[in-house]
């Protein structure tokens, strides 16, 4: 069985071991020089278990996620290769998955991708040959069968740890997260979520999933938000983001909003580590990268055992 295999990555090993896991996310620059990207990422070495590399975030062009993930791996940082369905048909997706495996990249996060109309080249045509569930199923099939969907055998080793994305909600009565369960059924190994800065919502979300029998480890998205203005923008522009008014008020009243944003993130990390059914946190800060390692280190959560589901 896949669950009995030796862990394919440090991320998978720590999730299996019950340690509270912290991942982070870095956006590659619009550059052919990886130096800027690595300056952003290297402070996370030894702190984040793995670092996501975004794939055309905001439907804007950046250094390719596959190349950037390779630079991380070369620098001793375990990458999570984000792959979107927006830009590739199933042939290109299979080629990039093979490419990732050939470069020693094991963790992937399957995403649909932002609509090009939201980006800076709105005339670009989206592909969406597969949806994110289809991409999860594709990667799972390649891993389990050692073959392409066409039946062509895959030479060499291929051991993906497959991530799915979700948007936490404050679950209403009769809530049935069919999409998340479908991703688990398709072969996902872990879940990373959109920003959810409301611990009460996380508790209720995790409890309901636990009651419904959901078993995959979940990492909740949080951020060191640098200002009330940024918090409002995130809540309005980033689909599914949950930031309570109380956090915006704290940022507004703070003498140093950036320091307060880090403090809030530290508090959230510590609280998440105590919630049954939550395996870790995913720290994102697109315009505030330097605060990510500071928040993780200050929180002291890296030695925590997660609460049993």
């Amino acid at each position: 069985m896949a669950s009995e295999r030796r862990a394919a990555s440090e991320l998978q090993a720590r999730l299996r071991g019950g340690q509270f896991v912290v991942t982070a996310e870095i956006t590659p620059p619009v550059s052919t020089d990886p130096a800027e990207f690595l300056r952003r990422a290297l402070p996370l070495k030894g702190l984040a278990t793995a670092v996501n590399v975004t794939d055309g975030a905001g439907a804007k062009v950046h250094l390719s996620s596959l190349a950037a993930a390779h630079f991380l791996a070369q620098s001793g940082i375990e990458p999570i290769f984000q792959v979107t369905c927006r830009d590739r048909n199933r042939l290109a997706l299979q080629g990039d998955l093979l490419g990732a495996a050939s470069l020693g990249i094991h963790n992937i996060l399957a995403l649909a991708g932002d609509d090009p109309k939201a980006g800076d080249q709105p005339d670009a045509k989206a592909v969406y040959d597969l949806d994110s569930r289809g991409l999860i199923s594709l990667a799972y099939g390649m891993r389990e069968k050692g073959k392409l969907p066409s039946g062509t055998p895959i030479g060499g080793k291929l051991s993906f740890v497959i991530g799915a994305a979700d948007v936490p909600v404050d679950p209403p009565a009769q809530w049935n997260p069919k999409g998340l369960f479908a991703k688990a059924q398709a072969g996902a190994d872990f879940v990373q979520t959109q920003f959810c800065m409301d611990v009460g919502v996380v508790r209720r979300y995790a409890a309901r999933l636990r009651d419904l029998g959901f078993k995959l480890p979940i990492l909740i998205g949080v951020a060191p938000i640098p200002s009330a203005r940024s918090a409002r923008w995130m809540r309005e522009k980033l689909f599914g983001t949950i930031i309570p008014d109380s956090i915006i008020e704290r940022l507004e009243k703070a003498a140093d909003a950036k320091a307060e944003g880090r403090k809030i993130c530290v508090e959230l990390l510590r609280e998440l580590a105590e919630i049954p059914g939550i395996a870790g946190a995913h720290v994102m800060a697109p315009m505030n990268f330097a605060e990510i390692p500071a928040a993780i280190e200050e929180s002291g959560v890296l030695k925590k055992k997660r609460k049993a589901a």
Side-chain angles (χ1 to χ4, degrees):
M1 295 291 291
S3 60
E4 297 172 348
R5 293 175 181 155
R6 181 178 178 180
S9 68
E10 183 66 16
L11 173 64
Q12 188 171 54
R14 292 193 183 192
L15 289 172
R16 288 179 179 176
Q19 183 175 343
F20 187 80
V21 167
V22 180
T23 56
E25 184 171 291
I26 300 292
T27 300
V30 183
S31 176
T32 61
D33 183 352
E36 179 185 349
F37 173 71
L38 292 174
R39 279 196 298 271
R40 296 174 182 177
L42 283 173
L44 292 163
K45 188 173 182 177
L47 286 176
T49 298
V51 176
N52 288 50
V53 181
T54 60
D55 183 19
K60 295 181 180 179
V61 174
H62 302 91
L63 176 67
S64 83
S65 56
L66 182 56
H70 179 51
F71 290 131
L72 286 187
Q74 284 184 318
S75 300
I77 299 172
E78 182 165 297
I80 299 176
F81 170 40
Q82 293 192 183
V83 193
T84 68
C85 300
R86 176 195 59 221
D87 305 323
R88 307 164 178 87
N89 67 12
R90 67 192 67 197
L91 302 178
L93 288 167
Q94 291 166 55
D96 277 357
L97 291 174
L98 292 176
S102 75
L103 295 169
I105 296 165
H106 303 290
N107 307 312
I108 65 171
L109 181 68
L111 299 169
D114 299 315
D115 190 324
K117 291 183 175 59
D120 55 4
Q121 298 182 56
D123 292 334
K125 292 183 178 180
V127 180
Y128 297 123
D129 184 22
L130 300 177
D131 60 13
S132 58
R133 179 182 177 276
L135 175 53
I136 291 168
S137 181
L138 172 67
Y140 179 82
M142 291 170 65
R143 182 184 76 190
E144 297 302 305
K145 298 175 183 177
K147 297 179 181 179
L148 300 179
S150 63
T152 302
I154 297 170
K157 296 182 179 180
L158 192 151
S159 52
F160 294 130
V161 184
I162 306 166
D166 194 41
V167 177
V169 299
D170 201 347
Q174 309 304 318
W175 180 59
N176 185 4
K178 293 181 180 178
L180 183 58
F181 273 87
K183 291 175 182 179
Q185 184 66 31
D189 298 302
F190 69 96
V191 177
Q192 291 178 317
T193 81
Q194 178 61 288
F195 296 107
C196 187
M197 307 284 285
D198 188 319
V199 172
V201 170
V202 175
R203 289 185 188 280
R204 293 186 289 275
Y205 167 77
R208 185 69 67 84
L209 285 174
R210 203 164 62 248
D211 291 345
L212 292 170
F214 190 76
K215 299 296 185 182
L216 295 187
I218 301 171
L219 285 69
I220 299 293
V222 296
I225 306 173
S227 68
R229 180 180 178 183
S230 293
R232 289 194 186 92
W233 183 91
M234 290 167 63
R235 193 164 69 174
E236 293 171 5
K237 302 293 186 181
L238 301 179
F239 174 75
T241 292
I242 297 175
I243 301 174
D245 290 338
S246 58
I247 285 181
I248 295 177
E249 290 170 7
R250 280 182 64 176
L251 291 168
E252 283 180 328
K253 293 177 181 178
D256 184 340
K258 192 172 184 179
E260 187 70 12
R262 183 198 298 181
K263 183 180 178 182
I264 290 167
C265 187
V266 166
E267 292 170 3
L268 287 169
L269 288 170
R270 290 172 178 169
E271 290 182 271
L272 290 174
E274 300 300 324
I275 298 177
I278 297 302
H282 181 49
V283 187
M284 301 171 278
M287 303 303 293
N288 199 22
F289 296 113
E291 288 295 304
I292 298 176
I296 296 172
E297 190 163 24
E298 191 175 326
S299 72
V301 298
L302 296 176
K303 296 181 181 180
K304 290 275 187 179
K305 286 280 186 177
R306 67 185 176 93
K307 296 283 184 175

